[in-house]
Amino acid sequence: MATANASTSSKNARKKEVKKETGLGLAYKKNESFGEWYSEVVVNGEMIEYYDISGCYILRPWTMVIWETMQAFFDAEIKKMNVKNAYFPLFVTENVLQKEKNHIEGFAPEVAWVTKSGQSDLEVPIAIRPTSETVMYPYFSKWIRGHRDLPLKLNQWCNVVRWEFSHPTPFIRSREFLWQEGHTAFATKEEADKEVLEILELYRRIYEEYLAIPVVKGKKSELEKFAGGLYTTSVEAFIPNTGRGIQGATSHCLGQNFAKMFEIDFENEKGEKAKVWQNSWAYSTRTIGVMVMVHGDDKGLVLPPKVAAVQVIVIPVPYKDADMQTIFEACSSTVQTLRVAGFRAEHDLRDNYSPGWKYSNWEMKGVPLRIEIGPKDIANKQVRIVRRDNGAKTDIPISCMVEQVQDVLSSIHENLFNAAKEKRDACIKVVHTWEEFMTALNDKKLILTPWCDEEEVEKNVKTRTKGELGSAKTLCTPFDQPSLPEGTLCFASGKPAKKWTYWGRSY
């Protein structure tokens, strides 16, 4: 039907006013006005639309395909680990929320409360979940009785609300966001520890294998760990343009603290009463914001092929007196061939836009690969492919198009990852003294430095570096530790160093 309509309208194409001017360029440059550039890209690239409540955003289909692609991967992987999906209510009462004091203190400023129903005040205010530990764990206590009830492994895909007040940013810092949150309970700490790292590896794979973003796996400091937890691991990304780290996803071992608060007991194999060991882990739509920040350029979005809603866009290139019906048919045939081969492909047969306008439009939306088809291409039984990541143009025979497209898309992912890693690695600065630390911080570096691992020292660094751009803090202690020669001193305290730790400003 589309081909028939296109061929009919093509007869009148020359009579129509064809839009040649692009009018699609970004007003801001990534290297000059990063914040404004980012806001412009996520709107013009049709990722989000601003809503009339500050900090809330409409996630458009272009975004949701990316989220669903990651969700499909992660959901399948956790099911292999025998994690089951569930859904718990959005609301939680104040007395339950207050049960774990350290936990709620960490979230208190962000908790949104429902206080009215119509014009009537509620007798008891109800909180909207900022996370679901306190929502779920009263029921873990009910469901777990003996060692045969363990492990209990649940996950939910849901939204949460954290009423952030400072500098809301689409995907990165919003009042409502989508995420998954896994909550598990085990008989032993060894089982819990093992799962923490298995989940963290899945988060690394999301970033590196799907979003083409290099991350560091490591452990959070006591000051930065999840409130009420035993320890927190994370994958950390870095944005070279702003010199800020960004927590990509977290996998927490909660220890037995919540088990004590919520009386999650079980009878072990010896018939003794024991507390369970618990984990919680989550990643959110923040992942998508990191992807935009890392890969986007002055033309707009640059989407990694594995998550792009459209991997290949096919565009007809008409010339004077060309047989447009034949060109449109070639475009439709190309799309059909690619779809049968498993690619997400579309064509743009709109006849009131010039090819140049279409190029700019699809570049803005970040489509990884463009295929151009004109009269010469049809005569030569070829198509022209143009990469979004580096602009490289290649003419390829139709006979081996499917194989070539697959190879190019794989190459695009590899190139995006390598370019991002190269830029990040160029920002890593190893320092040993306070003076070197301050210089590196002001130069927007990702700082790796020997540290004594003392909470008071970290608090002191935060205080001493406080300024308009925010304080420096620990990002993570990487699992992959460089050698630490005996006698190495902490950069901030002069005490013996215990580990290498990444520091910097963060989102």
Side-chain angles (χ1 to χ4, degrees):
M1 193 71 185
T3 304
N5 289 342
S7 61
T8 304
S9 61
S10 69
K11 294 173 185 175
N12 303 318
R14 278 178 239 163
K15 297 176 185 176
K16 292 185 177 182
E17 182 185 344
V18 177
K19 294 185 182 177
K20 293 182 180 178
E21 73 286 349
T22 62
L24 292 170
L26 296 172
Y28 297 96
K29 303 250 181 239
K30 186 176 184 181
N31 288 333
E32 294 172 6
S33 305
F34 185 84
E36 291 82 358
W37 167 85
Y38 177 78
S39 297
E40 193 177 15
V41 164
V42 293
V43 173
N44 290 10
E46 298 182 11
M47 301 285 282
I48 65 113
E49 188 60 75
Y50 282 89
Y51 194 58
D52 63 356
I53 297 174
S54 174
C56 295
Y57 309 97
I58 298 164
L59 304 185
R60 300 185 65 180
W62 211 241
T63 287
M64 289 308 296
V65 169
I66 298 171
W67 181 245
E68 288 166 357
T69 302
M70 294 187 292
Q71 182 181 31
F73 160 74
F74 189 80
D75 201 61
E77 290 298 318
I78 61 174
K79 280 174 178 165
K80 291 177 191 175
M81 298 168 63
N82 208 29
V83 176
K84 305 283 200 300
N85 281 327
Y87 185 79
F88 285 74
L90 177 68
F91 304 112
V92 56
T93 58
E94 185 173 15
N95 64 322
V96 172
L97 194 63
Q98 297 284 359
K99 244 187 175 179
E100 211 302 317
K101 297 296 181 187
N102 289 332
H103 175 69
I104 190 53
E105 279 175 14
F107 286 101
E110 302 172 348
V111 176
W113 294 90
V114 178
T115 58
K116 278 181 174 289
S117 170
Q119 295 304 310
S120 306
D121 291 337
L122 296 182
E123 283 185 32
V124 180
I126 295 171
I128 300 174
R129 62 177 171 227
T131 179
S132 297
E133 281 77 8
T134 56
V135 177
M136 291 183 171
Y137 296 167
Y139 300 92
F140 275 41
S141 174
K142 183 177 181 181
W143 298 333
I144 296 169
R145 285 286 177 263
H147 62 87
R148 292 181 185 83
D149 298 323
L150 295 171
L152 177 60
K153 301 181 178 184
L154 299 181
N155 175 71
Q156 68 172 358
W157 296 93
C158 64
N159 62 340
V160 288
V161 173
R162 295 181 186 175
W163 209 255
E164 301 260 14
F165 285 94
S166 60
H167 311 297
T169 305
F171 298 115
I172 303 299
R173 190 182 291 110
S174 56
R175 287 178 168 167
E176 179 191 8
F177 55 88
L178 301 181
W179 75 349
Q180 61 69 218
E181 51 176 323
H183 296 268
T184 54
F186 300 91
T188 66
K189 183 175 185 293
E190 289 71 27
E191 292 173 281
D193 289 338
K194 182 171 179 282
E195 187 201 61
V196 165
L197 297 181
E198 288 173 344
I199 294 294
L200 196 68
E201 173 60 11
L202 293 181
Y203 292 151
R204 180 202 66 79
R205 290 182 63 190
I206 285 173
Y207 274 95
E208 297 194 346
E209 295 178 14
Y210 282 80
L211 301 177
I213 296 168
V215 290
V216 174
K217 291 201 293 188
K219 187 177 179 182
K220 289 288 193 183
S221 70
E222 285 297 300
L223 198 61
E224 293 295 326
K225 75 177 183 181
F226 184 70
L230 181 62
Y231 65 85
T232 290
T233 67
S234 66
V235 289
E236 299 286 330
F238 185 75
I239 312 298
N241 293 77
T242 60
R244 291 183 183 274
I246 186 158
Q247 182 177 285
T250 49
S251 183
H252 316 286
C253 179
L254 303 179
Q256 295 179 305
N257 191 27
F258 286 89
K260 290 171 186 170
M261 297 301 152
F262 290 93
E263 299 177 353
I264 311 174
D265 302 318
F266 73 102
E267 189 178 277
N268 65 23
E269 292 176 352
K270 296 176 184 176
E272 300 163 340
K273 189 177 176 184
K275 302 284 183 195
V276 298
W277 292 84
Q278 290 178 265
N279 293 337
S280 69
W281 26 271
Y283 81 94
S284 74
T285 37
R286 168 179 274 212
T287 48
I288 299 171
V290 179
M291 177 201 73
V292 174
M293 288 182 166
V294 169
H295 299 310
D297 62 19
D298 290 342
K299 290 183 177 181
L301 297 169
V302 179
L303 299 180
K306 279 192 181 178
V307 296
V310 176
Q311 295 170 312
V312 185
I313 184 69
V314 180
I315 296 178
V317 185
Y319 288 91
K320 232 178 204 180
D321 303 319
D323 181 352
M324 288 309 298
Q325 182 171 352
T326 300
I327 295 174
F328 283 161
E329 286 173 355
C331 289
S332 297
S333 173
T334 299
V335 167
Q336 185 60 24
T337 299
L338 291 170
R339 284 180 175 173
V340 168
F343 299 105
R344 295 186 289 277
E346 290 185 9
H347 50 42
D348 187 343
L349 304 183
R350 293 175 292 178
D351 61 358
N352 60 328
Y353 291 98
S354 70
W357 191 95
K358 294 177 185 178
Y359 298 165
S360 296
N361 177 229
W362 292 104
E363 284 173 351
M364 175 73 76
K365 295 179 73 171
V367 173
L369 196 63
R370 180 171 82 239
I371 289 182
E372 302 169 5
I373 300 178
K376 286 183 181 177
D377 300 302
I378 293 172
N380 294 330
K381 296 183 179 178
Q382 67 180 32
V383 295
R384 170 162 288 188
I385 62 172
V386 185
R387 291 170 57 143
R388 175 66 180 88
D389 61 327
N390 61 15
K393 299 179 181 180
T394 314
D395 294 330
I396 60 172
I398 289 174
S399 59
C400 60
M401 177 181 67
V402 167
E403 295 80 6
Q404 294 262 24
V405 166
Q406 182 61 66
D407 289 346
V408 171
L409 291 178
S410 296
S411 172
I412 289 171
H413 178 96
E414 188 178 349
N415 183 52
L416 287 174
F417 179 83
N418 290 339
K421 189 173 187 302
E422 192 177 311
K423 286 176 187 171
R424 183 204 65 183
D425 290 352
C427 292
I428 296 174
K429 184 73 175 174
V430 178
V431 309
H432 290 83
T433 68
W434 180 258
E435 290 72 26
E436 291 173 343
F437 179 84
M438 287 306 299
T439 300
L441 188 66
N442 292 330
D443 289 342
K444 298 182 177 179
K445 299 297 184 184
L446 174 58
I447 305 165
L448 183 61
T449 187
W451 181 41
C452 61
D453 196 18
E454 291 185 13
E455 200 170 317
E456 287 308 312
V457 173
E458 183 175 1
K459 286 178 181 175
N460 188 41
V461 171
K462 274 188 163 183
T463 302
R464 291 170 71 185
T465 56
K466 196 171 185 180
E468 283 184 16
L469 297 175
S471 300
K473 65 179 185 178
T474 58
L475 303 175
C476 77
T477 294
F479 292 144
D480 187 9
Q481 282 279 305
S483 63
L484 188 66
E486 196 174 334
T488 302
L489 301 178
C490 172
F491 79 102
S493 67
K495 297 177 181 179
K498 294 180 181 176
K499 57 179 69 170
W500 289 93
T501 298
Y502 280 109
W503 294 71
R505 295 192 176 96
S506 73
Y507 282 93

